[in-house]
């Protein structure tokens, strides 16, 4: 297990280094000069050259990249070109907002998704199964911003029960969390149903029932545990998506999270802030995938990660 985790950590570092290089190169080929944009194209060439020197943009590209990597290693991502705020502070502030939104959406998606998936599997072929799977298709197919707008119209404007923007009060958390979590709940419900149906057909389930075990005990202690592997894979991926922010949801509800920060940095071509946001998103994805891989060994005893395991 230690060897496996060590290899995964090394792979994670290599992936992050590759992403940082690709991100840096792509930002260099994007049209537009951030200094000219920052100075609103009214500064003279001498002022532009001075600002470029202050920002470290007058050195070669390899040197700029090495400066960026060195800053990441020392937890210094530079300052925003426009607000002058340290990038790390901006990411930390936005992360707390996104974490709150992602956590609430995750709980909503997992509880609703797994419950609906299990009920659909247990009542396979009946009206309840068809109804739940139809709702899951609607949840997966409907764009999250469309769900957000519908929720705003019904619960915010028509019924006047919940605020339609902001993220300052507990009541303001409800609509964004449901809008963001609905799509993931649909996906989790469908994979839970499929996985449960595969497990229920296994011989050891029939054996347990033949020995007189109650249906509830068989579902909880035998079927559910072995059906969790594909569910955890999906849930882990969905959690990574939620933690990296939902640009549309945050835009619709005016939530100052990671998604909104990324959109603003792209619009302003704020390179330090944009590079920091991309590195944050990459770090969250690889960290979540690492945790998902490690969790396999604890959930399924058939999986062993010995020496030389990939």
């Amino acid at each position: 297990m230690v060897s496996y985790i060590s290899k995964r950590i090394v792979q994670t570092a290599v992936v992050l280094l590759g992403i940082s290089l690709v991100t840096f190169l792509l930002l260099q080929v994007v049209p537009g000069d951030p200094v000219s944009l920052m100075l609103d194209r009214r500064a003279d060439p001498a002022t532009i050259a001075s600002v470029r020197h202050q920002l470290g943009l007058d050195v070669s590209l390899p040197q700029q990249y090495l400066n960026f990597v060195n800053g990441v290693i020392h937890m210094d991502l530079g300052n925003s070109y426009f607000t002058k705020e340290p990038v790390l502070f901006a990411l930390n502030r936005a992360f707390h907002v996104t974490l709150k939104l992602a956590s609430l959406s995750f709980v909503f998606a997992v509880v609703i998704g797994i419950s609906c998936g299990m009920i659909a599997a247990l009542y396979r072929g009946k009206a309840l199964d068809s109804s739940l799977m139809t709702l899951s298709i609607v949840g997966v197919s409907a764009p999250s911003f469309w769900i957000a707008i519908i929720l705003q119209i019904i619960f915010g404007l028509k019924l006047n029960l919940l605020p339609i923007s902001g993220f300052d009060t507990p009541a303001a958390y409800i609509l964004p969390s449901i809008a963001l979590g609905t799509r993931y709940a649909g996906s989790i419900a469908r994979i839970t149903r499929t996985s449960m149906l595969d497990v229920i057909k296994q011989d050891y389930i029939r054996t347990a029932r033949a020995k007189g075990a109650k249906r509830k005990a068989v579902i909880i202690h035998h079927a559910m545990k072995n059906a969790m592997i594909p569910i955890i894979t999906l849930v882990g991926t969905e959690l990574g998506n939620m933690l990296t922010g939902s640009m549309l949801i945050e835009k619709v509800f005016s939530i100052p999270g990671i998604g909104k920060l990324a959109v603003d940095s792209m619009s302003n071509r704020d390179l330090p802030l944009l590079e920091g946001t991309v590195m944050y998103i990459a770090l969250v994805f690889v960290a979540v995938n690492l945790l998902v891989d490690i969790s396999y060994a604890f959930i399924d005893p058939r999986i062993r990660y010995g020496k030389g395991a990939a």
Side-chain angles (χ1 to χ4, degrees):
M1 178 63 76
V2 174
S3 173
Y4 171 77
I5 295 176
S6 300
K7 288 180 180 178
R8 284 292 184 265
I9 292 176
V10 172
Q11 291 174 353
T12 299
V14 173
V15 169
L16 290 176
L17 185 63
I19 291 175
S20 70
L21 178 60
V22 172
T23 302
F24 177 81
L25 294 176
L26 288 177
L27 291 179
Q28 301 309 314
V29 301
V30 174
D33 182 7
V35 176
S36 300
L37 185 62
M38 183 169 56
L39 299 178
D40 203 18
R41 302 180 185 279
R42 290 175 297 185
D44 56 78
T47 303
I48 293 177
S50 176
V51 173
R52 290 183 66 82
H53 177 70
Q54 293 174 12
L55 298 177
L57 298 176
D58 57 345
V59 298
S60 64
L61 290 181
Q63 186 60 49
Q64 289 184 41
Y65 177 68
L66 291 177
N67 293 339
F68 170 69
V69 173
N70 184 57
V72 171
I73 294 174
H74 292 87
M75 300 295 291
D76 180 11
L77 299 176
N79 297 336
S80 167
Y81 285 168
F82 295 88
T83 65
K84 307 301 180 185
E85 181 185 23
V87 171
L88 212 54
F89 289 178
L91 288 175
N92 184 54
R93 186 181 60 250
F95 171 73
H96 280 85
V97 176
T98 297
L99 178 62
K100 193 180 296 181
L101 173 61
S103 300
L104 295 172
S105 302
F106 181 75
V107 171
F108 171 80
V110 169
V111 171
I112 299 298
I114 291 181
S115 300
C116 291
M118 289 186 64
I119 293 173
L122 296 176
Y123 292 91
R124 181 188 181 189
K126 298 184 178 179
L128 186 56
D129 176 25
S130 302
S131 301
L132 291 175
M133 286 302 100
T134 301
L135 289 175
S136 71
I137 292 176
V138 173
V140 172
S141 306
S144 57
F145 73 89
W146 180 78
I147 295 177
I149 294 173
I150 295 298
L151 291 175
Q152 285 179 324
I153 294 174
I154 297 176
F155 295 99
L157 300 179
K158 298 293 183 183
L159 301 178
N160 197 26
L161 294 176
L162 297 169
I164 61 173
S165 65
F167 209 62
D168 302 325
T169 62
Y173 304 164
I174 298 176
L175 294 185
S177 302
I178 294 176
L180 181 59
T182 298
R183 183 173 187 178
Y184 301 112
S187 300
I188 294 172
R190 296 185 66 77
I191 194 68
T192 300
R193 178 183 182 274
T194 303
S195 184
M196 283 293 293
L197 289 177
D198 289 340
V199 172
I200 290 174
K201 297 175 183 175
Q202 299 298 319
D203 292 339
Y204 66 88
I205 296 293
R206 286 194 290 268
T207 302
R209 295 294 302 274
K211 288 183 176 179
K214 295 183 179 179
R215 187 186 187 193
K216 182 179 180 181
V218 171
I219 295 298
I220 295 177
H221 299 294
H222 299 283
M224 191 63 197
K225 184 177 181 181
N226 290 286
M228 285 301 292
I229 294 296
I231 298 173
I232 286 179
T233 302
L234 178 65
V235 167
T237 305
E238 307 294 30
L239 178 60
N241 291 330
M242 293 180 187
L243 282 175
T244 54
S246 173
M247 298 180 185
L248 292 175
I249 293 298
E250 292 181 0
K251 191 71 176 178
V252 171
F253 288 98
S254 299
I255 298 173
I258 289 293
K260 187 175 184 301
L261 190 68
V263 172
D264 292 342
S265 61
M266 280 188 285
S267 302
N268 297 327
R269 209 167 186 273
D270 195 338
L271 298 185
L273 195 55
L274 185 54
E275 289 171 343
T277 305
V278 173
M279 290 305 299
Y280 159 80
I281 293 173
L283 178 63
V284 169
F285 265 109
V286 295
V288 169
N289 286 327
L290 176 64
L291 293 176
V292 170
D293 289 344
I294 294 174
S295 67
Y296 288 164
F298 292 99
I299 292 177
D300 191 345
R302 295 170 297 181
I303 298 177
R304 292 289 182 270
Y305 298 110
K307 293 183 177 180

